[in-house]
Amino acid sequence: MQPYSSPFYFVYLGLALIPIVIAHSFGKKLMWYQVLFTIAFLWFTFAGSVTLWALLFFGVFETILIKIYEYYRITLKKNIFFVFVLILLLSILPLFLVKLNPVIDPAHPQSIFGFLGISYVTFKTVNIILEIRDGLIKEVPLKEYFYFLYFFPTISSGPIDRFRRFRKEMEAPVAKNYSEMVGKGIFYIFQGFLYKFIIGYLLDTYVLHILAISATVHPTFLNMMGSMYSYGLYLFFDFAGYSLFVIGVSSIMGYDIPHNFNKPFLSKNIKDFWNRWHMSLSFWFRDFVAMRFMKTIMVKKWTKNMVLIANLGYLASMGLMGFWHGFTWYYILYGFYHAFLLIGYDAWVRMKKKRKWKIPNNRWTTAVSIFITFNLVFIGFLIFSGIPNYAIMHALNHDFPLPNF
C-alpha cells in the first residue's frame, strides 16, 4: 500500500504513533520504537515486491560510497576533484538508470533499480557527499545516517531534508513545545485530507479527466485552457495535501521538517514562485546546482559577465530539474521554460533599473503581477502535463492511448 493513499491508512498510522506521543509526553524520544515504526511501515509499503530489494540495495550501495568518501576526504584529508566527481556520479547512477529505463524499454518502464521515493533519498545522499567535500560534515554515524535516509514519513515524496539539520533535531531533547507540535501535526493532516481527498479528488474526477480527454481528442483553445488550469490546481492540491500529511506525521513524531508550499499562487513574480513552490526541491537545486555551478564559473574565470553567469545558473538548475522529472521532451521543455522565465524576469528588473522606471507599488500593480505570474506558471503546468503531446500523438494515431490522470 502506498503511503497516505487512503483514509484507512491513517488508522494504522494513528495507532502506531500512540507510543511515540506518550513517550514524548514524558520527555522520552523512544528511538528504538521510532526505528521499529519506520521498519514496520517500510515493510508494509514495499513488502512482496522487487522494490523492497531495490530499496535495500540502494541503501547499501549509497552507504558504501559515502563511507569511502568520508574516509578519503576526512581521514586521509584528500580532495582530488576526479574522486569527488566519480563518487557523485556513482551515487546518482541508480536514479539515472531508473529515469532512463522508460526511454530504453517503454513496454516495461519500471526499472528493477526503482522504488517509490528513489529521487528524494538520492537527493539526501548527494547532499551528504557535497557537504563532506565542503567540510561541513565531519562524520557520518551510521545510526543517524540510516534513520535520516529511511525516515519513513518523507521517503516517498519528500520534503527533502538536510542531514545536518535532521541530525541536530534527532540528537536534541524532546522539544518543550511538543504539545503544540502535536496540535499542528493533527491540523496539517486534516488540512491534507481537505486538499488531497476532497478538493484534489473532485478536480481529478469531475474536471481534469473530462477536459484532458476532450483536449486530446478534439483540442480547442477553451478545453486546452480548461485542462491547463484544472491540471495545475489538481497538481497543487494533490501534492500539497501529500506534503501536509508528511509534515503532520513528522511533527507528531517530534520533527519539524521543512515545508514544501507557501501560498505559491500569490507569487508576484517567477522568482517569488520558486521560493514558494516545492520549496525543498527548488532550494536544493538552487544551493547544490545553480550556486555551485556559478561559483565554479567564477573560480575558473570562464567569464566575468555576472548576467551571463546567473543565466547559465538558471539554465543548469532548471534544465536539470526538467531532466529529473523524466527524459521526455515535455518535462525537459518545462525545465528550460522556467529557466527562460527567470532569465526574462532578471532582464526586466535590470531594464527598470537602467531606465529608472518608477512603477507604483500598490494593490493594483500587485494584483497584475500575481495575475501575470499565475498564468505564466500555469502555461508551464500545461507543458508539464503532456496533454499537448497526447493531443498531437492522438491526431497522428487514433489508437494512441488517452491520458490518465
Side-chain angles (χ1 to χ4, degrees):
M1 179 183 292
Q2 289 194 0
Y4 319 112
S5 58
S6 72
F8 295 104
Y9 183 89
F10 289 87
V11 175
Y12 304 109
L13 192 59
L15 292 173
L17 286 171
I18 290 174
I20 295 177
V21 175
I22 294 173
H24 275 68
S25 301
F26 286 96
K28 304 290 183 182
K29 285 202 169 181
L30 212 66
M31 285 305 303
W32 67 267
Y33 180 80
Q34 290 194 38
V35 172
L36 187 64
F37 168 87
T38 292
I39 293 172
F41 273 85
L42 287 175
W43 179 265
F44 187 43
T45 302
F46 296 106
S49 67
V50 71
T51 55
L52 177 62
W53 296 106
L55 178 68
L56 295 174
F57 167 79
F58 178 90
V60 171
F61 178 72
E62 297 291 345
T63 302
I64 292 171
L65 290 177
I66 286 174
K67 296 308 285 185
I68 288 174
Y69 192 62
E70 178 193 21
Y71 176 78
Y72 173 81
R73 182 74 181 91
I74 297 172
T75 305
L76 299 181
K77 300 185 184 302
K78 294 185 178 181
N79 191 22
I80 298 175
F81 184 69
F82 172 77
V83 176
F84 160 70
V85 171
L86 178 62
I87 293 291
L88 192 63
L89 291 177
L90 287 173
S91 71
I92 300 171
L93 181 61
L95 176 61
F96 176 78
L97 294 175
V98 168
K99 295 295 183 180
L100 186 64
N101 195 77
V103 179
I104 297 175
D105 188 6
H108 303 90
Q110 181 63 42
S111 169
I112 61 171
F113 298 105
F115 58 88
L116 183 66
I118 185 173
S119 292
Y120 298 97
V121 289
T122 299
F123 289 139
K124 288 181 177 183
T125 59
V126 170
N127 158 228
I128 292 173
I129 292 169
L130 291 170
E131 293 197 335
I132 288 175
R133 181 174 190 260
D134 293 343
L136 298 174
I137 294 178
K138 303 297 183 182
E139 61 173 344
V140 186
L142 288 177
K143 181 177 69 174
E144 288 88 344
Y145 163 74
F146 278 122
Y147 195 62
F148 168 72
L149 188 67
Y150 289 127
F151 185 59
F152 175 72
T154 64
I155 193 171
S156 58
S157 65
I160 306 165
D161 209 345
R162 310 288 175 93
F163 179 67
R164 287 185 296 145
R165 193 216 68 82
F166 185 85
R167 183 185 178 190
K168 184 178 180 180
E169 196 168 51
M170 181 181 175
E171 294 176 342
V174 174
K176 293 181 180 179
N177 65 335
Y178 176 69
S179 59
E180 183 181 332
M181 292 179 70
V182 172
K184 285 184 178 179
I186 293 171
F187 172 79
Y188 289 142
I189 289 172
F190 276 97
Q191 187 180 6
F193 268 93
L194 173 64
Y195 279 20
K196 182 175 175 63
F197 291 126
I198 298 178
I199 300 177
Y201 172 80
L202 291 174
L203 282 170
D204 182 36
T205 305
Y206 297 104
V207 183
L208 172 60
H209 193 71
I210 295 171
L211 286 175
I213 292 176
S214 176
T216 300
V217 179
H218 300 293
T220 65
F221 177 79
L222 288 178
N223 59 30
M224 274 291 179
M225 291 302 97
S227 299
M228 179 179 83
Y229 290 118
S230 59
Y231 179 77
L233 291 172
Y234 166 73
L235 191 65
F236 168 72
F237 284 109
D238 184 73
F239 193 21
Y242 204 107
S243 296
L244 286 166
F245 292 148
V246 172
I247 294 166
V249 172
S250 300
S251 187
I252 292 172
M253 293 177 68
Y255 297 91
D256 188 17
I257 65 170
H259 284 236
N260 249 348
F261 297 93
N262 179 22
K263 301 176 182 177
F265 299 143
L266 295 180
S267 304
K268 298 176 184 178
N269 55 67
I270 197 64
K271 276 191 173 180
D272 188 27
F273 172 77
W274 281 108
N275 286 329
R276 294 167 175 263
W277 175 270
H278 204 169
M279 295 182 292
S280 66
L281 179 70
S282 63
F283 294 166
W284 192 96
F285 273 95
R286 179 197 67 190
D287 296 343
F288 297 119
V289 179
M291 298 303 292
R292 287 170 181 270
F293 183 58
M294 291 163 63
K295 182 180 178 181
T296 300
I297 293 174
M298 288 186 285
V299 170
K300 300 291 185 181
K301 298 181 180 179
W302 292 340
T303 179
K304 293 182 180 180
N305 187 328
M306 296 306 297
V307 173
L308 177 59
I309 291 172
N311 291 344
L312 291 173
Y314 291 141
L315 289 169
S317 59
M318 303 308 293
L320 188 59
M321 186 186 292
F323 278 101
W324 166 68
H325 280 102
F327 293 163
T328 306
W329 72 264
Y330 45 84
Y331 290 143
I332 298 168
L333 179 60
Y334 170 80
F336 284 112
Y337 169 77
H338 272 279
F340 284 110
L341 287 183
L342 290 165
I343 291 170
Y345 175 72
D346 274 3
W348 163 250
V349 171
R350 289 194 305 273
M351 183 184 295
K352 284 196 303 178
K353 185 177 180 180
K354 181 179 179 180
R355 302 194 178 186
K356 297 180 181 180
W357 290 344
K358 293 183 179 180
I359 298 176
N361 185 14
N362 54 46
R363 61 180 180 177
W364 300 110
T365 55
T366 298
V368 170
S369 298
I370 292 172
F371 177 79
I372 293 172
T373 304
F374 180 87
N375 282 280
L376 289 174
V377 164
F378 272 74
I379 291 171
F381 287 146
L382 180 63
I383 296 170
F384 183 84
S385 71
I387 291 173
N389 176 63
Y390 280 103
I392 293 169
M393 296 303 293
H394 189 266
L396 296 175
N397 179 5
H398 290 290
D399 295 326
F400 190 80
L402 297 176
N404 181 25
F405 297 104

